[in-house]
Amino acid sequence: MDARVSSSVSTVLFFAAIVASYFHSSEAAVSKGSFEDNFSIMWSEEHFTTSKDGQIWYLSLDKDTGCGFQTKQRYRFGWFSMKLKLVAGDSAGVVTAYYMCSENGAGPERDELDFEFLGNRTGEPYLIQTNVYKNGTGGREMRHMLWFDPTEDYHTYSILWNNHQIVFFVDRVPVRVFKNNGEKPNNFFPNEKPMYLFSSIWNADDWATRGGLEKTNWKLAPFVSSYKDFSVDGCQWEDPYPACVSTTTKNWWDQYDAWHLSDDQKMDYAWVQRNLVIYDYCKDSERYPTIPEECSLSPWD
């Protein structure tokens, strides 16, 4: 790592600490609990284990199947956060997903907010892919490198979701901003359907690593990802319509300061854009000869 990049990483970590102190003071009402309090296993319960104290959760993938879990509750807007440690070593073809979705399955009308961690060959960096779906349509991918090895320790991955923006955070550093507060409305912004939060591990060697050129080495199975410290400070859905969705006074995640990046967050975000972005659908003119309308909305506003 050259001196310029090393200095930039130090800057990001410094500002991340500032951002973390802001959120810590704002999250006094965060709801935490055991796995059983928050989640249900979606499939392959035999591929799910916990630490002896129940505070760390493990999902495993072998040639037969992966595993996944989901929250028992749905939410519409809020702050959603979890610590993950990804599959180490040769993880080509393996995808660890951490996402929000309005349906239990991949339904044709779903809204969805994705973190997907794309495994790689030993020595090659993990890639993180984010995506947004509205009414069953996605195609809004971005891919980033990370400034650390996500297999060595736990790192925090978070989503801020309100009616004005969706922000994907890694260790409190904003890596992606999806806006809905420009002069024109973002017709692709998912803001109507409550969502569950999910995580899963699965085989995607038909596309995940080098476009499917690198296949999963099943001799190394099982592949294991681990999770801890789930927290949510959000509007829990209650039919027909929860009052907390419309308030801008009681919840920090729906107040004016959460409608845009702070000055410190903008500095972090600018560094990420300069150094870590490797794919942005808004800049893919071959795929989108007519660039999607929401690409005109500035993340800086």
Side-chain angles (χ1 to χ4, degrees):
M1 180 182 296
D2 62 35
R4 178 180 59 82
V5 173
S6 177
S7 176
S8 297
V9 171
S10 298
T11 301
V12 164
L13 296 179
F14 172 75
F15 284 114
I18 296 175
V19 174
S21 67
Y22 164 76
F23 280 109
H24 179 76
S25 65
S26 303
E27 286 187 333
V30 164
S31 174
K32 298 182 180 180
S34 68
F35 183 89
E36 292 77 13
D37 292 336
N38 290 298
F39 298 101
S40 299
I41 303 296
M42 292 190 292
W43 82 93
S44 300
E45 189 167 353
E46 68 276 10
H47 285 64
F48 172 81
T49 59
T50 70
S51 58
K52 290 184 178 179
D53 62 5
Q55 297 304 302
I56 301 175
W57 320 318
Y58 304 97
L59 298 184
S60 66
L61 167 71
D62 57 27
K63 198 168 185 177
D64 293 326
T65 187
C67 187
F69 58 80
Q70 70 173 75
T71 53
K72 296 178 178 179
Q73 304 295 335
R74 293 179 297 164
Y75 302 89
R76 184 178 166 204
F77 303 149
W79 171 263
F80 308 89
S81 186
M82 183 127 57
K83 291 183 178 178
L84 281 72
K85 184 162 67 172
L86 304 181
V87 177
D90 186 341
S91 58
V94 177
V95 170
T96 300
Y98 167 56
Y99 61 104
M100 301 184 69
C101 186
S102 59
E103 301 181 24
N104 289 324
E109 299 296 324
R110 74 190 186 277
D111 289 356
E112 186 170 319
L113 308 174
D114 290 345
F115 273 114
E116 291 179 317
F117 306 92
L118 311 183
N120 218 328
R121 291 295 180 213
T122 301
E124 297 296 323
Y126 258 86
L127 298 181
I128 180 172
Q129 176 170 287
T130 57
N131 202 354
V132 177
Y133 282 75
K134 175 71 178 286
N135 293 328
T137 299
R140 268 58 181 176
E141 298 93 343
M142 288 190 70
R143 288 188 179 186
H144 295 75
M145 296 183 294
L146 294 168
W147 58 96
F148 53 82
D149 183 344
T151 71
E152 291 184 346
D153 203 352
Y154 290 90
H155 291 268
T156 303
Y157 304 90
S158 310
I159 296 174
L160 170 66
W161 176 33
N162 56 47
N163 196 41
H164 300 270
Q165 66 175 358
I166 296 164
V167 185
F168 295 83
F169 288 87
V170 177
D171 286 343
R172 308 291 189 176
V173 175
V175 298
R176 180 174 184 179
V177 181
F178 195 73
K179 299 293 286 188
N180 189 39
N181 61 351
E183 295 181 0
K184 297 181 180 180
N186 180 355
N187 294 317
F188 203 85
F189 194 89
N191 58 356
E192 299 176 352
K193 301 173 184 178
M195 300 193 201
Y196 299 95
L197 190 141
F198 299 80
S199 195
S200 60
I201 186 170
W202 46 290
N203 178 45
D205 65 4
D206 58 333
W207 65 270
T209 308
R210 294 186 59 214
L213 295 177
E214 302 285 355
K215 300 301 183 181
T216 304
N217 184 354
W218 293 113
K219 295 179 181 179
L220 301 176
F223 302 98
V224 179
S225 57
S226 55
Y227 310 77
K228 66 178 183 177
D229 295 350
F230 170 70
S231 65
V232 55
D233 187 356
C235 180
Q236 184 172 312
W237 187 260
E238 298 176 359
D239 291 325
Y241 198 87
C244 54
V245 166
S246 59
T247 181
T248 57
T249 59
K250 294 183 179 180
N251 301 295
W252 70 266
W253 40 262
D254 202 22
Q255 294 174 358
Y256 179 76
D257 285 348
W259 296 355
H260 51 258
L261 299 181
S262 69
D263 289 343
D264 289 338
Q265 289 171 337
K266 288 178 180 178
M267 294 184 68
D268 288 354
Y269 181 70
W271 184 86
V272 169
Q273 294 302 296
R274 291 194 306 269
N275 294 282
L276 301 180
V277 176
I278 61 172
Y279 177 79
D280 183 349
Y281 78 99
C282 285
K283 299 179 180 179
D284 191 343
S285 58
E286 181 176 348
R287 183 183 182 190
Y288 292 106
T290 300
I291 299 300
E293 290 183 355
E294 72 272 7
C295 294
S296 65
L297 298 176
S298 172
W300 309 103
D301 294 338

